[in-house]
Amino acid sequence: MAKRHKRFEALEKRPVNQDGYVTEWPEVGMIAMGSPNDPKPSIKIKDGVIVEMDGRTVDEFDFNELFIAKYGINAKVAEEMMAMSAVDIARMIVDINVPREKVVRVFSGLTPAKIAAVVDELNVVEMMMGVQKMRARRTPANQAHVTNTQDNPVLMAADAAEATCYGFAEIETTVAVFNYGPFNALALLIGGQVGRPGVLWQDSLEESIELELGMRGLTAYAETVSVYGTERVFIDGDDTPWSKGFLASAYASRGIKMRFTSGTGSEVQMGYAEGKSMLYLEIKCIMLTKAAGVQGLQNGSISCIGVPAGVPGGIRAVLGENLVTACLDLENASGNDQTFSHSDMRRTARLLMQFLPGTDFITSGYSATPNKDNMFAGSNVDIDDIDDWLIIQRDLKVDAGLVPSSEEKIIEVRNKAARAMQAVFTELGLPAITDEEVEAATYAYSSDDMPARDKVRDTKAAQDILKRGITGLDVIKALAKQGFADVANSVLSIQKQRVAGDYLHTSTIFDTDFNPIAAVNDLNDYQGPGTGYRAEGERWKQLQTIRQAIRPEDL
């Protein structure tokens, strides 16, 4: 064996070298941007109808292209916008003298291939400039994952309260065991409103169950409704753009906010990338979302992040998909969720591209538990990183959606959430939550610290919630009867918002008084220095007040 250089031996033990990397392989889609198989931009319109797009005639369109051509491109302006050069459009994105609405109008008339060409003209700093200007909502926010490996509902409620106390505007759960779904929804419903009134929550399950929970008022939004950039991947999931559009309409008809989910690399992972680049296919997904009339999209590669992260320029492409979503005037929950690297430096580099310019939801989501309890396969950032996040905000004077809290406050909300769950379980005749469990959940680090529950009884009771027809109103009555009137009022306020329909607007979140903050009343107005959202006034004072800071009076 050849003698080794000791520095290379040391380097090979570094965390970054535990990650996987591959060279480009365009034939199977293992290329982030600019595949030689990507089509050239083109459009032809006859009698107001798109008859050719990106080198294919209408009789050659697959169903994604049919849907995009009919519903996703403004044919009235398409020829004008397509005549502009890609580099000129790219410069409009970063030019502070070109208002956001003008860029949105240009993008409304572009084809997938043209948009891909525009993004390829931008480096990552320019993309970040574009995201800061183009995101829909002026005020950035954040979303958290709240799960645990035991599907323990008491711990989940406490963790939801802690997460929202830190300022998360949305929280999301899923299951280790499918039948626990209704319990997990209930845990976030209650715990979330304890930590911060006005938070929205969802439960990522099979689509029909998600819809049923939403219609019953046990969840407040939906997100994990996936769309794909090639027809064969869609068919593999027994879906079409029309079926997804119908599902989106079902949510809207019941006053429930929803967004689609997609991400670079999904078609490669499913084996049907057709030799196209990851970003080109993702642009199709974004345009399908717009065409379906859905207000927003979760992307940023999401559960496929390991695929683009392994190829050259892959993380750049991930930022590119976030930018395109904003340019198409959609809410963007911009990823930073599934873990992808052993390297803290790589994790941070990937995060800062959304953290610094701000997106509608910088993470989608941040693991509000230790990653070993994260049932979304771990997050790029977890609860162990919370102090780093808060201090980086303070270092850079950046509002990335979270606020400091004290240990005393966190203990208080965790205990209240656990007691509220205990009370609701008692009132609804669900398996009892003991005082020992409440105490454990109040102080727990992870599910390892919780007493065991009877999983057979719990899963049967969780399914019984559906069989008995329990709704959000039953939970409100249980909370009020058991002495948690403030939490009951918060849950009721969310149900009222479904009737009002205000949070169906693009990029809506609520403040603690249940006032909607959306792209209609908080539209991003960034046009350079002195404009747009700034961390200032009381909010900046709040971001500064970390528990570790020594005050003069402490000396």
Side-chain angles (χ1 to χ4, degrees):
M1 182 181 292
K3 188 173 182 179
R4 298 293 311 278
H5 189 316
K6 294 187 181 299
R7 289 183 181 171
F8 275 85
E9 288 182 323
L11 283 172
E12 286 173 5
K13 296 174 184 177
R14 296 275 295 171
V16 73
N17 287 314
Q18 297 177 46
D19 297 349
Y21 309 98
V22 296
T23 59
E24 290 182 341
W25 187 4
E27 291 77 12
V28 298
M30 289 293 288
I31 181 168
M33 299 168 66
S35 171
N37 302 312
D38 287 350
K40 303 299 181 186
S42 70
I43 199 160
K44 287 185 181 177
I45 298 172
K46 184 177 181 180
D47 299 326
V49 176
I50 296 171
V51 296
E52 181 184 309
M53 181 174 72
D54 295 340
R56 289 162 66 103
T57 58
V58 67
D59 58 304
E60 297 173 311
F61 287 174
D62 65 18
F63 62 41
N64 279 354
E65 290 159 342
L66 283 168
F67 199 80
I68 290 168
K70 187 169 184 178
Y71 305 112
I73 297 174
N74 182 354
K76 293 178 181 178
V77 302
E79 289 178 325
E80 175 191 355
M81 302 311 169
M82 288 291 291
M84 299 174 65
S85 73
V87 71
D88 284 345
I89 299 171
R91 287 170 179 164
M92 291 175 69
I93 293 171
V94 299
D95 187 344
I96 61 173
N97 298 302
V98 178
R100 178 183 184 274
E101 58 266 25
K102 187 170 182 179
V103 178
V104 168
R105 185 172 182 271
V106 170
F107 267 71
S108 75
L110 302 182
T111 66
K114 186 72 169 193
I115 293 175
V118 170
V119 177
D120 209 12
E121 296 288 349
L122 299 164
N123 63 36
V124 293
V125 176
E126 291 160 345
M127 288 184 195
M128 289 166 68
M129 292 168 64
V131 169
Q132 179 172 236
K133 170 177 157 180
M134 295 305 301
R135 73 167 181 265
R137 190 187 339 105
R138 185 175 186 268
T139 306
N142 231 315
Q143 181 200 105
H145 289 161
V146 184
T147 65
N148 63 71
T149 57
Q150 301 303 313
D151 286 319
N152 185 297
V154 201
L155 176 62
M156 201 170 292
D159 284 336
E162 178 173 346
T164 56
C165 195
Y166 281 121
F168 287 100
E170 288 185 354
I171 50 176
E172 174 188 19
T173 191
T174 190
V175 291
V177 176
F178 180 77
N179 283 346
Y180 269 106
F183 267 18
N184 294 7
L186 190 61
L188 266 62
L189 180 158
I190 294 168
Q193 300 306 317
V194 171
R196 187 187 83 84
V199 71
L200 299 173
W201 71 101
Q202 78 122 344
D203 194 352
S204 177
L205 300 163
E206 186 273 327
E207 288 176 354
S208 66
I209 300 297
E210 283 189 40
L211 180 59
E212 183 175 357
L213 290 173
M215 292 171 69
R216 289 171 181 249
L218 297 175
T219 58
Y221 78 97
E223 176 178 82
T224 45
V225 179
S226 298
V227 290
Y228 305 98
T230 66
E231 185 174 295
R232 290 187 70 184
V233 177
F234 248 125
I235 292 171
D236 194 61
D238 297 323
D239 268 312
T240 72
W242 287 268
S243 66
K244 294 295 188 179
F246 180 83
L247 181 58
S249 299
Y251 278 104
S253 72
R254 296 300 184 269
I256 306 168
K257 175 182 178 178
M258 71 93 67
R259 65 178 72 94
F260 282 168
T261 289
S262 60
T264 47
S266 63
E267 297 81 13
V268 182
Q269 196 158 285
M270 295 291 285
Y272 300 123
E274 300 175 354
K276 306 298 192 298
S277 71
M278 298 180 202
L279 183 63
Y280 169 74
L281 294 178
E282 174 57 18
I283 289 167
K284 283 190 167 183
C285 297
I286 302 167
M287 296 184 76
L288 286 169
T289 303
K290 184 72 173 180
V294 175
Q295 66 84 36
L297 180 69
Q298 174 185 227
N299 70 5
S301 195
I302 313 303
S303 58
C304 305
I305 186 64
V307 180
V311 301
I315 300 301
R316 173 181 173 238
V318 170
L319 177 58
E321 64 184 284
N322 296 151
L323 174 60
V324 173
T325 307
C327 289
L328 286 171
D329 203 25
L330 297 167
E331 173 192 70
N332 185 215
S334 57
N336 281 303
D337 56 354
Q338 187 161 307
T339 185
F340 79 101
S341 178
H342 297 83
S343 163
D344 288 341
M345 188 176 289
R346 276 192 95 199
R347 290 195 303 119
T348 305
R350 186 259 182 277
L351 168 66
L352 286 178
M353 290 186 293
Q354 292 77 26
F355 185 106
L356 295 177
T359 66
D360 299 298
F361 297 95
I362 293 163
T363 65
S364 59
Y366 188 120
S367 181
T369 66
N371 259 342
K372 67 178 182 178
D373 263 333
N374 188 301
M375 295 311 301
F376 289 99
S379 174
N380 192 41
V381 276
D382 74 357
I383 196 63
D384 291 341
D385 300 311
I386 191 70
D387 284 344
D388 302 76
W389 184 291
L390 295 170
I391 290 168
I392 291 170
Q393 287 185 146
R394 184 177 184 266
D395 288 342
L396 303 179
K397 198 180 181 184
V398 168
D399 186 347
L402 302 185
V403 294
S405 188
S406 67
E407 182 176 359
E408 294 76 15
K409 180 65 176 176
I410 295 298
I411 289 171
E412 175 190 333
V413 299
R414 290 182 67 92
N415 181 259
K416 183 175 179 179
R419 288 187 291 107
M421 279 292 283
Q422 182 184 45
V424 169
F425 269 45
T426 297
E427 192 63 30
L428 296 180
L430 302 172
I433 293 171
T434 66
D435 290 343
E436 179 191 7
E437 288 177 275
V438 170
E439 179 77 1
T442 300
Y443 297 98
Y445 171 73
S446 73
S447 58
D448 294 340
D449 301 312
M450 294 299 296
R453 287 182 60 84
D454 186 330
K455 292 188 176 184
V456 174
R457 288 189 66 207
D458 274 356
T459 52
K460 286 181 178 178
Q463 290 304 299
D464 200 40
I465 287 176
L466 299 179
K467 292 175 184 175
R468 289 164 57 189
I470 290 172
T471 70
L473 291 178
D474 296 308
V475 179
I476 292 164
K477 289 187 285 186
L479 286 163
K481 189 173 180 180
Q482 290 284 332
F484 293 90
D486 58 337
V487 186
N489 280 325
S490 292
V491 178
L492 178 60
S493 294
I494 289 288
Q495 307 300 330
K496 288 178 179 177
Q497 289 294 339
R498 289 180 51 184
V499 178
D502 285 342
Y503 83 115
L504 298 181
H505 288 299
T506 299
S507 199
T508 302
I509 56 175
F510 291 110
D511 66 17
T512 55
D513 295 317
F514 293 89
N515 298 307
I517 304 169
V520 293
N521 64 348
D522 188 43
L523 181 63
N524 187 10
D525 59 355
Y526 178 82
Q527 277 195 261
T531 68
Y533 182 84
R534 305 274 157 170
E536 56 192 4
E538 288 302 313
R539 180 68 172 183
W540 173 228
K541 289 180 183 178
Q542 191 179 23
L543 296 178
Q544 292 179 54
T545 311
I546 57 173
R547 70 178 191 281
Q548 299 92 335
I550 300 170
R551 302 168 298 173
E553 55 266 35
D554 297 329
L555 300 177

